[in-house]
Amino acid sequence: MTPFYFGRPERRLFGVFHPSTPGKPVKAGVVVAAPFGHEAIRVHRFNRLLADRLSRQGVAVLRFDYFGTGDSGGSDEDASLDAWAEDLCEAHRELLRRIGDLPTTWFTARLGANVALRAAHQAFPRVQRMLLWDPVVDGRAYLAELGLAQVDELDVAYCIPDPAWRGGLRRDPLAFAQESLGFSIPEVLREQILELRPDAPAQPPTCPVAVIARGQDHAARQWCEAAAVEAPGKLRHVPFDHSLIWTSNPFANNEVAPASALQQMLGELS
């Protein structure tokens, strides 16, 4: 495992490269892109374990932070889906520079899935396959979910919670859409998220895509059906339930890296 910086001097990105296990020839590559904000923290250990397992199977992996997130340069205010799509393309090129012209898959979750769909249209060389875990398909519902998580956390953090927080959410589900669990949601990113609708995929898939989503996620199923019309034969919906709660701090029965999910993703990526 090798941590390093890459990309343009004015837009330095932090990455971690997991080469194939010594003595095992590299047969493919995977770029692991993070979701947004607290969800990236929740899935960090999972992505690390996934990269380690893949490297033992002869798959080289590059994990990285978007500009303005993690250990990359920039700040929260630099966040946008379009800018992050450029970062994903940069990580894609960096991985291929290290492993050569080998089949490459992108793996990401939640809002990272929307980044990947945007990036695939501009990636060169082309990405061969994408695996999207619980993609955000309803932007308004997603921001409302982040706002509820923000108020829940405020209630826990303060000895005497302010009833006005709940009242604000009842009047406007997007009352807390400027911040979530310590992460700023700048206006540009907020507007891009609000454009996401389950009945109208923003970017049809350009390569085979597997969407891993909860069996009861009707919005995800609707999104998959709409995307399949735009790109026949490219999209596969895989119903899968897991115990990871994206916007929650660890509680009982809320695993940081559910073993079932790890096995599911390994199977799809292998």
Side-chain angles (χ1 to χ4, degrees), residues 116-262:
L117 288 167
R118 289 173 182 247
H121 288 261
Q122 53 188 295
F124 184 82
R126 291 293 185 186
V127 59
Q128 278 75 36
R129 195 164 57 107
M130 292 192 291
L131 180 61
L132 311 179
W133 185 14
D134 277 352
V136 175
V137 298
D138 186 334
R140 187 175 183 82
Y142 176 67
L143 288 176
E145 180 184 353
L146 294 184
L148 179 59
Q150 172 81 352
V151 171
D152 284 343
E153 195 65 21
L154 287 172
D155 279 348
V156 171
Y158 287 80
C159 295
I160 306 176
D162 187 343
W165 297 330
R166 299 284 174 186
L169 276 184
R170 284 193 296 272
R171 290 188 298 273
D172 178 9
L174 302 186
F176 288 82
Q178 292 77 34
E179 178 187 355
S180 177
L181 301 172
F183 293 89
S184 173
I185 308 175
E187 183 177 358
V188 171
L189 179 61
R190 194 162 59 247
E191 292 303 318
Q192 289 175 333
I193 293 174
L194 284 172
E195 292 173 358
L196 302 176
R197 294 167 42 198
D199 62 338
Q203 299 286 349
T206 61
C207 64
V209 176
V211 175
I212 312 292
R214 296 179 186 273
Q216 300 302 314
D217 190 339
H218 301 297
R221 185 178 297 278
Q222 182 183 8
W223 183 92
C224 288
E225 291 172 353
V229 172
E230 297 289 334
K234 290 188 180 296
L235 190 138
R236 182 166 56 95
H237 176 237
V238 183
F240 176 71
D241 293 330
H242 57 85
S243 60
L244 191 149
I245 302 172
W246 294 106
T247 55
S248 170
N249 282 323
F251 292 119
N253 301 317
N254 178 21
E255 295 177 78
V256 175
S260 59
L262 187 61

Side-chain angles (χ1 to χ4, degrees), residues 17-197:
F17 179 61
H18 298 255
S20 174
T21 299
K24 187 178 287 290
V26 184
K27 61 184 181 182
V30 171
V31 176
V32 176
F36 166 73
H38 186 74
E39 295 180 352
I41 296 175
R42 292 287 290 122
V43 82
H44 182 269
R45 182 183 177 190
F46 181 94
N47 286 344
R48 164 71 185 272
L49 291 172
L50 182 68
D52 286 344
R53 301 283 181 87
L54 287 170
S55 68
R56 297 176 200 168
Q57 299 177 7
V59 178
V61 179
L62 174 60
R63 296 184 289 127
F64 78 101
D65 295 331
Y66 306 116
F67 192 71
T69 73
D71 291 308
S72 292
S75 70
D76 284 1
E77 297 304 312
D78 296 309
S80 83
L81 297 183
D82 291 330
W84 287 347
E86 294 179 8
D87 295 340
L88 178 50
C89 289
E90 187 70 44
H92 178 67
R93 289 190 292 270
E94 178 64 25
L95 177 62
L96 291 177
R97 188 183 69 79
R98 291 171 174 264
I99 68 173
D101 186 19
L102 291 173
T104 304
T105 299
W106 292 353
F107 169 72
T108 186
R110 303 295 283 154
L111 198 60
N114 306 91
V115 173
L117 288 167
R118 289 173 182 247
H121 288 261
Q122 53 188 295
F124 184 82
R126 291 293 185 186
V127 59
Q128 278 75 36
R129 195 164 57 107
M130 292 192 291
L131 180 61
L132 311 179
W133 185 14
D134 277 352
V136 175
V137 298
D138 186 334
R140 187 175 183 82
Y142 176 67
L143 288 176
E145 180 184 353
L146 294 184
L148 179 59
Q150 172 81 352
V151 171
D152 284 343
E153 195 65 21
L154 287 172
D155 279 348
V156 171
Y158 287 80
C159 295
I160 306 176
D162 187 343
W165 297 330
R166 299 284 174 186
L169 276 184
R170 284 193 296 272
R171 290 188 298 273
D172 178 9
L174 302 186
F176 288 82
Q178 292 77 34
E179 178 187 355
S180 177
L181 301 172
F183 293 89
S184 173
I185 308 175
E187 183 177 358
V188 171
L189 179 61
R190 194 162 59 247
E191 292 303 318
Q192 289 175 333
I193 293 174
L194 284 172
E195 292 173 358
L196 302 176
R197 294 167 42 198

